[in-house]
Amino acid sequence: MALCSLANVKYIFVVKIDQLCGVSVLFSAMVANEEEPVVELEECAILSVSQISRELEQIRSKRVGAEKKVGEYRALESKKRTEADKIATIILKTSSESTRRRKQAERERHLSEAQSAGKKAIEWQKKVNSYSQKENTLQQRLSKAQSEEMSKVEKQRQREYQKEISNLRATQSKLNSRINDAEQQVGFIMRAFPKPKQEKLRVLVLTSNPYGDLRVDREQKRIKQAVQNATHRDWIEMQFRPAATLDDLFDGLASFPLILCILQVIQMNPLFFLNKIKMKK
């Protein structure tokens, strides 16, 4: 791990320059302890969420290990002091001067080991406190980095959404433009069409009386009178063909009449014309 000397440094600032968020201070610290003029460069680096998470796990693991060491040395200290107390009881009960001196030396050795274990426990406790401080700092940085990352993701999503909306609007605008152009072209073509001419109502009246039992003249007269009494009689064109034959029918149909009227007696057989009469026997 790279180290940097901060013997003459009073303040440390790590500044992040972002095009979107501007300038933000990611880390700041004051070097107040002259006995520890060296700090880790990782604390001054701009780390990502994954890097901060890994560093946080490492610090947490170190803190747990340090707490374990504190427990071990505290247990050792308690054990040695208990042994020293037992030896002190033996010293009080013994009457032999040599035994008393030997046990006293043993008791002092146990007390020295207990004191040494106590010092070690205090040193490891300081490390636990330091790791806890670093852990809290990293946890805050991690929360901030996660928030910034989520904000970036949300901004990216908003940009993509706005881009899609812009594309949809552009597509809709092009479609509306094409529809307007088509409507204008259709309107121009419709205006270029000539207006339909008003045509007369053409009526073709075919009459046939092969047996002489139909008053064709009277029916024809009634039709003419009805047309003359009509309001729009000028727009009705009547064409009468008495004693009609098949040729008259075909010639009349060739003139495209709008109404075809046939006057004839209908019996059991189809229409009869003068050129083809079938008599019943």
Short mmCIF file of all heavy atoms in Angstrom, two decimals, residues 60-76 120-121 124-125 128 131:
data_model
loop_
_atom_site.label_atom_id
_atom_site.label_comp_id
_atom_site.label_asym_id
_atom_site.label_seq_id
_atom_site.Cartn_x
_atom_site.Cartn_y
_atom_site.Cartn_z
N ARG A 60 -13.33 -3.62 8.45
CA ARG A 60 -14.19 -4.33 9.40
C ARG A 60 -13.54 -5.62 9.87
O ARG A 60 -13.61 -6.00 11.04
CB ARG A 60 -15.54 -4.61 8.74
CG ARG A 60 -16.60 -5.19 9.65
CD ARG A 60 -17.93 -5.22 8.94
NE ARG A 60 -18.45 -3.89 8.73
CZ ARG A 60 -19.18 -3.54 7.68
NH1 ARG A 60 -19.42 -4.44 6.71
NH2 ARG A 60 -19.65 -2.32 7.56
N SER A 61 -12.89 -6.33 8.92
CA SER A 61 -12.19 -7.56 9.28
C SER A 61 -11.04 -7.27 10.24
O SER A 61 -10.82 -8.01 11.22
CB SER A 61 -11.68 -8.25 8.01
OG SER A 61 -10.95 -9.39 8.34
N LYS A 62 -10.32 -6.18 9.98
CA LYS A 62 -9.22 -5.81 10.88
C LYS A 62 -9.75 -5.44 12.27
O LYS A 62 -9.13 -5.78 13.29
CB LYS A 62 -8.44 -4.64 10.29
CG LYS A 62 -7.63 -5.00 9.05
CD LYS A 62 -6.89 -3.79 8.52
CE LYS A 62 -6.09 -4.15 7.27
NZ LYS A 62 -5.36 -2.97 6.74
N ARG A 63 -10.88 -4.73 12.30
CA ARG A 63 -11.45 -4.37 13.60
C ARG A 63 -11.85 -5.60 14.39
O ARG A 63 -11.60 -5.70 15.61
CB ARG A 63 -12.66 -3.45 13.40
CG ARG A 63 -13.36 -3.06 14.70
CD ARG A 63 -14.58 -2.22 14.42
NE ARG A 63 -15.53 -2.89 13.56
CZ ARG A 63 -16.40 -3.82 13.96
NH1 ARG A 63 -16.39 -4.24 15.24
NH2 ARG A 63 -17.25 -4.35 13.10
N VAL A 64 -12.49 -6.56 13.71
CA VAL A 64 -12.89 -7.80 14.39
C VAL A 64 -11.67 -8.53 14.91
O VAL A 64 -11.64 -9.05 16.04
CB VAL A 64 -13.72 -8.68 13.43
CG1 VAL A 64 -13.98 -10.04 14.05
CG2 VAL A 64 -15.04 -8.00 13.09
N GLY A 65 -10.59 -8.59 14.08
CA GLY A 65 -9.36 -9.24 14.53
C GLY A 65 -8.74 -8.53 15.71
O GLY A 65 -8.24 -9.17 16.66
N ALA A 66 -8.78 -7.17 15.68
CA ALA A 66 -8.22 -6.41 16.80
C ALA A 66 -9.03 -6.63 18.07
O ALA A 66 -8.46 -6.75 19.17
CB ALA A 66 -8.19 -4.92 16.44
N GLU A 67 -10.36 -6.68 17.93
CA GLU A 67 -11.19 -6.95 19.11
C GLU A 67 -10.90 -8.33 19.69
O GLU A 67 -10.91 -8.53 20.91
CB GLU A 67 -12.67 -6.82 18.73
CG GLU A 67 -13.12 -5.40 18.46
CD GLU A 67 -14.56 -5.34 17.99
OE1 GLU A 67 -15.11 -6.41 17.63
OE2 GLU A 67 -15.13 -4.23 17.97
N LYS A 68 -10.63 -9.28 18.81
CA LYS A 68 -10.26 -10.61 19.27
C LYS A 68 -8.94 -10.58 20.06
O LYS A 68 -8.80 -11.22 21.11
CB LYS A 68 -10.15 -11.55 18.08
CG LYS A 68 -9.90 -13.00 18.45
CD LYS A 68 -9.86 -13.88 17.20
CE LYS A 68 -9.58 -15.33 17.59
NZ LYS A 68 -9.51 -16.20 16.39
N LYS A 69 -7.98 -9.81 19.54
CA LYS A 69 -6.70 -9.67 20.25
C LYS A 69 -6.89 -9.00 21.61
O LYS A 69 -6.26 -9.40 22.61
CB LYS A 69 -5.73 -8.85 19.40
CG LYS A 69 -5.17 -9.58 18.19
CD LYS A 69 -4.20 -10.67 18.63
CE LYS A 69 -3.55 -11.34 17.43
NZ LYS A 69 -2.60 -12.39 17.85
N VAL A 70 -7.73 -7.99 21.67
CA VAL A 70 -8.00 -7.33 22.95
C VAL A 70 -8.55 -8.34 23.95
O VAL A 70 -8.12 -8.40 25.12
CB VAL A 70 -8.97 -6.16 22.76
CG1 VAL A 70 -9.45 -5.62 24.11
CG2 VAL A 70 -8.32 -5.05 21.97
N GLY A 71 -9.48 -9.18 23.48
CA GLY A 71 -10.06 -10.20 24.36
C GLY A 71 -9.03 -11.20 24.83
O GLY A 71 -9.00 -11.60 26.01
N GLU A 72 -8.15 -11.59 23.90
CA GLU A 72 -7.11 -12.57 24.27
C GLU A 72 -6.16 -11.99 25.33
O GLU A 72 -5.82 -12.64 26.33
CB GLU A 72 -6.33 -12.99 23.03
CG GLU A 72 -7.16 -13.83 22.06
CD GLU A 72 -6.39 -14.15 20.79
OE1 GLU A 72 -5.25 -13.63 20.65
OE2 GLU A 72 -6.91 -14.90 19.94
N TYR A 73 -5.69 -10.75 25.10
CA TYR A 73 -4.74 -10.15 26.05
C TYR A 73 -5.40 -9.83 27.39
O TYR A 73 -4.77 -9.93 28.45
CB TYR A 73 -4.12 -8.90 25.44
CG TYR A 73 -3.01 -9.21 24.46
CD1 TYR A 73 -3.15 -8.94 23.10
CD2 TYR A 73 -1.82 -9.79 24.90
CE1 TYR A 73 -2.14 -9.23 22.19
CE2 TYR A 73 -0.80 -10.09 24.00
CZ TYR A 73 -0.97 -9.81 22.65
OH TYR A 73 0.04 -10.11 21.76
N ARG A 74 -6.69 -9.43 27.35
CA ARG A 74 -7.39 -9.19 28.60
C ARG A 74 -7.56 -10.50 29.39
O ARG A 74 -7.43 -10.53 30.62
CB ARG A 74 -8.76 -8.56 28.32
CG ARG A 74 -8.72 -7.12 27.86
CD ARG A 74 -8.08 -6.23 28.88
NE ARG A 74 -8.06 -4.82 28.45
CZ ARG A 74 -7.42 -3.86 29.08
NH1 ARG A 74 -6.68 -4.17 30.17
NH2 ARG A 74 -7.44 -2.62 28.63
N ALA A 75 -7.82 -11.59 28.69
CA ALA A 75 -7.94 -12.89 29.35
C ALA A 75 -6.59 -13.32 29.95
O ALA A 75 -6.51 -13.86 31.06
CB ALA A 75 -8.45 -13.93 28.36
N LEU A 76 -5.51 -13.08 29.15
CA LEU A 76 -4.18 -13.42 29.65
C LEU A 76 -3.82 -12.59 30.89
O LEU A 76 -3.26 -13.09 31.87
CB LEU A 76 -3.15 -13.21 28.54
CG LEU A 76 -1.69 -13.51 28.90
CD1 LEU A 76 -1.52 -14.97 29.31
CD2 LEU A 76 -0.76 -13.18 27.71
N LYS A 120 -0.55 -4.58 25.97
CA LYS A 120 -0.92 -5.06 24.63
C LYS A 120 -2.41 -4.90 24.37
O LYS A 120 -2.84 -4.52 23.27
CB LYS A 120 -0.54 -6.54 24.50
CG LYS A 120 0.95 -6.80 24.48
CD LYS A 120 1.57 -6.33 23.17
CE LYS A 120 3.04 -6.74 23.10
NZ LYS A 120 3.67 -6.29 21.84
N ALA A 121 -3.21 -5.18 25.40
CA ALA A 121 -4.66 -5.02 25.24
C ALA A 121 -5.03 -3.58 24.96
O ALA A 121 -5.90 -3.27 24.13
CB ALA A 121 -5.38 -5.53 26.50
N TRP A 124 -4.07 -2.75 21.34
CA TRP A 124 -5.05 -3.30 20.40
C TRP A 124 -6.40 -2.59 20.51
O TRP A 124 -7.12 -2.46 19.52
CB TRP A 124 -5.21 -4.80 20.63
CG TRP A 124 -4.11 -5.60 20.02
CD1 TRP A 124 -3.07 -6.20 20.67
CD2 TRP A 124 -3.94 -5.88 18.63
NE1 TRP A 124 -2.25 -6.84 19.79
CE2 TRP A 124 -2.77 -6.66 18.51
CE3 TRP A 124 -4.63 -5.56 17.48
CZ2 TRP A 124 -2.28 -7.11 17.28
CZ3 TRP A 124 -4.16 -6.01 16.25
CH2 TRP A 124 -2.99 -6.77 16.16
N GLN A 125 -6.74 -2.12 21.71
CA GLN A 125 -7.98 -1.37 21.87
C GLN A 125 -7.92 -0.04 21.10
O GLN A 125 -8.91 0.39 20.51
CB GLN A 125 -8.25 -1.11 23.36
CG GLN A 125 -9.59 -0.43 23.63
CD GLN A 125 -10.77 -1.26 23.17
OE1 GLN A 125 -10.83 -2.46 23.44
NE2 GLN A 125 -11.71 -0.64 22.47
N VAL A 128 -8.58 -0.91 17.68
CA VAL A 128 -10.03 -1.13 17.49
C VAL A 128 -10.74 0.20 17.32
O VAL A 128 -11.60 0.36 16.44
CB VAL A 128 -10.61 -1.92 18.69
CG1 VAL A 128 -12.14 -1.90 18.66
CG2 VAL A 128 -10.10 -3.35 18.69
N TYR A 131 -9.86 1.59 13.90
CA TYR A 131 -10.60 0.88 12.85
C TYR A 131 -12.09 1.25 12.87
O TYR A 131 -12.72 1.37 11.80
CB TYR A 131 -10.43 -0.63 13.02
CG TYR A 131 -9.03 -1.12 12.70
CD1 TYR A 131 -8.46 -2.18 13.43
CD2 TYR A 131 -8.27 -0.55 11.69
CE1 TYR A 131 -7.19 -2.64 13.14
CE2 TYR A 131 -6.99 -1.00 11.40
CZ TYR A 131 -6.46 -2.04 12.13
OH TYR A 131 -5.19 -2.49 11.85
#
